[in-house]
Amino acid sequence: MQYIQTAQDAELNAAQRMRELGFADAQVTAGGADGGIDVHSSTALAQVKWRGGMAGRPELQALFGARGSDFSKQLLFFAASDYSQHAVEYAEHYRIALFVYDPTGTLAPKNRHAALLLSGGHFNFVERGPQSGLPLQMSNSKQGFWSRTAWPFLENVAWPFVKVHWRILGAIGFTIGIISGISITVSPDPGQDRIDGVLTLAACLIGAPIFWWLSLTEYSRKQSEKNVNRDDGSTPPQNES
C-alpha cells in the first residue's frame, strides 16, 4: 500500500480521485505559482492542502477567486486534516465540495456537495430533480450562456450574497422607496396617480425603519462575535451586514 508522504503525492492523489469522480481530464497544475489551483480539468478546479493544520475560510476564498468568472466549473478542496466552521459555512454558500483524505489517499466527504460527488460522480452544472431533489446533469444542448454563465452566477454569487445581506438591501430599497413616494406624491409625472405615491410612501415608511433596525442588530451581533473570536485567538468571520 502506497502512502501519501509529500505535497506532490497529495496533489497526484487528488487528481486521481477527481478522475474517478468523473473529471476525466483532471491533471496536477504545472509547477510555479498556481494561483490557488493545484489540480485542474475542463470542468473543475481543486486546491490541495498538505499538512499545515485545519483548512480555513481564506484558503477557500482563494480557490473561489481563482476560478474567475467561469462559474460552470465545480470547485473541490482536499485537506489532510479538518475544516474550520467558517470554512464549512463558506463552502456551503458557494457550493465547494470539501474532502478530507487519509494517508492512503482515501476520501471522506465533509459537506453535502462532496457527498453528492461521491454518490453520483461528476457533474458540471446541476439543476434540482423534481422528485428526488438531487442534482441532475444538464444535457449538452442546454450548455448555453444561461446554463454556463448566468444561472451559475446567480446560484453561486448573487443568491448567497442576498441570503447574507438581505437586511441592508431591504433597508436601502425601502429608503429609496420613500424618496420615490415623496416625488410621486408631490410632483407626479403624466400618467402617475398621487395615490400611488401615497401608498408607496406609507409602505416604505413602515418597512425602512424595520429593516434598518434588523440590519443594525445583525451588524452588532457580528461585531460581538468578531470580538469574542479575537479574544479566543481564532480567525474572525468576514464582515457581513
Side-chain angles (χ1 to χ4, degrees), residues 11-216:
E11 292 174 357
L12 290 171
N13 175 72
Q16 175 61 34
R17 299 307 179 191
M18 285 178 63
R19 289 191 291 270
E20 293 171 358
L21 290 171
F23 304 101
D25 58 343
Q27 297 290 334
V28 174
T29 302
D34 57 31
I37 303 300
D38 295 315
V39 184
H40 67 278
S41 81
S42 59
T43 54
L45 301 172
Q47 186 173 356
V48 182
K49 184 175 178 64
W50 164 244
R51 295 182 175 177
M54 183 177 290
R57 178 171 177 164
E59 292 160 299
L60 271 65
Q61 289 174 317
L63 173 62
F64 182 85
R67 180 172 62 177
S69 60
D70 189 357
F71 297 106
S72 65
K73 287 188 176 180
Q74 173 69 31
L75 297 180
L76 301 86
F77 200 103
F78 299 87
S81 58
D82 210 339
Y83 297 85
S84 70
Q85 183 59 36
H86 293 146
V88 173
E89 292 172 355
Y90 184 86
E92 176 65 22
H93 279 151
Y94 294 102
R95 297 180 65 242
I96 302 174
L98 303 181
F99 295 96
V100 169
Y101 59 90
D102 66 16
T104 67
T106 303
L107 299 182
K110 297 302 294 185
N111 67 352
R112 65 188 182 93
H113 304 302
L116 284 170
L117 281 176
L118 285 177
S119 63
H122 169 60
F123 64 94
N124 179 17
F125 174 71
V126 298
E127 61 181 356
R128 291 290 176 182
Q131 301 299 327
S132 65
L134 295 177
L136 300 175
Q137 186 173 358
M138 294 189 73
S139 63
N140 290 333
S141 63
K142 295 182 180 180
Q143 294 289 339
F145 171 79
W146 176 256
S147 63
R148 291 184 60 85
T149 304
W151 178 253
F153 174 80
L154 291 174
E155 185 178 27
N156 292 311
V157 178
W159 175 239
F161 180 85
V162 172
K163 285 174 65 178
V164 173
H165 300 287
W166 60 270
R167 300 168 187 83
I168 187 65
L169 292 174
I172 294 172
F174 277 115
T175 301
I176 294 173
I178 290 175
I179 298 173
S180 177
I182 292 174
S183 175
I184 296 173
T185 302
V186 173
S187 180
D189 291 333
Q192 289 183 326
D193 195 333
R194 275 195 172 86
I195 189 63
D196 293 334
V198 172
L199 293 175
T200 299
L201 180 60
C204 292
L205 284 174
I206 295 173
I210 293 175
F211 274 82
W212 279 115
W213 177 80
L214 290 172
S215 179
L216 292 173

